[in-house]
Amino acid sequence: MQENKIDIRSLNLETLQKHFLQLGEKSFRAKQVYEWLWKKSCFSFNEMSNLSKELRQKLEDQFTINNVKVNTSQFSADKTIKNSFVLHDGHLIEGVLIPMDDRMTACVSSQVGCSLTCKFCATGYMERKRNLNPDEIYDQVVLIDQQARQNYDHHLTNIVYMGMGEPLLNYANVLKSIERITADDGLNMAAKRITVSTAGIAKMIKKLGDDEVKFNLALSLHAANDKKRNEIMPINEQNTLKALAEALKYYYAKTKNPVTYEYIVFNDFNDEIQDAVELAAFCKHLPCKVNIIEYNPISFASYTNATVDKIEAFADYLRRQGITTNVRRSRGKDIDAACGQLAIKEKEKV
């Protein structure tokens, strides 16, 4: 029965080799299967053509591949593709392909829902159901890469963990997924092409430093004073800006990786020059850059995007302070682009 089968991708190579010996098979066969699973991203034992039919049947009897499937896809006029993915247990998550002139980026989820209740985020209005396993994160990358190749004749160049969930609250599985994505016997992508975005959990940022990670770190800041940040991001009450600054300095000392600050400029909330002054002061703690992000409004919240003039003035002030600043225009405005929107809509259909 399905429930008694072992999730084969939960096993490392050494453990898989032991299972093969118990099956009366040579251990090198495990390495072949491992390559099919990770390097070739194979979702079916029957497709493992260099294995005997007998062995494939043994695998089918003992193991399962809990692969992620595309549920629905929305295609934006700006070429963004927004997906809802269905997991083996029926839960829905989201992943997005974001094509740009110089890169092809996959935005992937790390949890089903989210526990952080950020007031401007659609996922923040969803209950957190569970963490994603490493293979479920991996599969999102594989499926979005397939979309990039099929629709735009180009492979993925970048991955951002900016979809549903808080990656640092699924720490071990996120790092394991990155290990598989960057491994020679995995997708062999460069760690410097991967960015993990966090709402700000100080002790886990320090752990990233202790683990001397090679990928990039982004902090969803959105306000550089505690009063405003508490209002929109309740997690700030336990992870104040002072605590985050200390953690980030520790992280930088360990990794020498500069940090990216993500800052959505909301109309009449954090869009004044004084807000930019506070952000510039926070940027002095360590080498960094700022991505100013255009907001995708959601029906659950009353926040709206700041005016173009305010955004440009805000960015100009930061640049004059010597801070590298990019303005990221909103993508997929004509589809359910804000994180969580599509999954909520699909869930409501069920």
Side-chain angles (χ1 to χ4, degrees), residues 83-249:
N83 302 286
S84 75
F85 295 121
V86 63
L87 309 180
H88 69 94
D89 56 4
H91 286 306
L92 295 175
I93 56 168
E94 293 180 355
V96 186
L97 172 63
I98 308 169
M100 299 177 72
D101 291 340
D102 61 340
R103 68 187 67 184
M104 194 71 68
T105 301
C107 178
V108 298
S109 296
S110 56
Q111 296 179 309
V112 181
C114 187
S115 60
L116 296 190
T117 66
C118 296
K119 303 306 180 191
F120 53 86
C121 176
T123 312
Y125 292 83
M126 301 171 69
E127 182 185 353
R128 188 194 76 83
K129 298 294 187 182
R130 67 172 177 86
N131 288 332
L132 295 186
N133 296 326
D135 51 286
E136 292 172 323
I137 300 172
Y138 184 94
D139 284 357
Q140 293 173 71
V141 175
V142 169
L143 293 170
I144 295 171
D145 180 56
Q146 289 174 1
Q147 288 184 331
R149 294 172 188 269
Q150 291 165 5
N151 291 279
Y152 305 119
D153 197 27
H154 202 291
H155 60 84
L156 281 183
T157 61
N158 296 72
I159 303 168
V160 293
Y161 284 65
M162 295 183 187
M164 294 167 61
E166 166 52 58
L168 298 191
L169 291 179
N170 187 17
Y171 190 93
N173 288 346
V174 164
L175 262 62
K176 180 68 177 176
S177 72
I178 293 172
E179 177 194 314
R180 291 282 83 228
I181 289 165
T182 57
D184 290 342
D185 60 355
L187 298 183
N188 200 26
M189 288 190 71
K192 66 181 181 179
R193 294 285 187 173
I194 299 172
T195 299
V196 171
S197 177
T198 177
I201 301 164
K203 68 177 182 180
M204 302 312 292
I205 291 171
K206 286 183 176 179
K207 184 162 173 53
L208 289 173
D210 288 334
D211 288 339
E212 297 183 0
V213 298
K214 305 298 184 189
F215 53 80
N216 304 305
L217 178 65
L219 174 65
S220 295
L221 196 59
H222 312 315
N225 75 60
D226 284 317
K227 184 174 183 296
K228 286 188 177 181
R229 201 164 189 268
N230 287 348
E231 184 177 332
I232 59 173
M233 302 179 73
I235 192 175
N236 193 71
E237 293 170 11
Q238 289 82 40
N239 295 265
T240 64
L241 290 167
K242 181 182 178 183
L244 289 175
E246 289 174 357
L248 290 165
K249 283 188 277 190

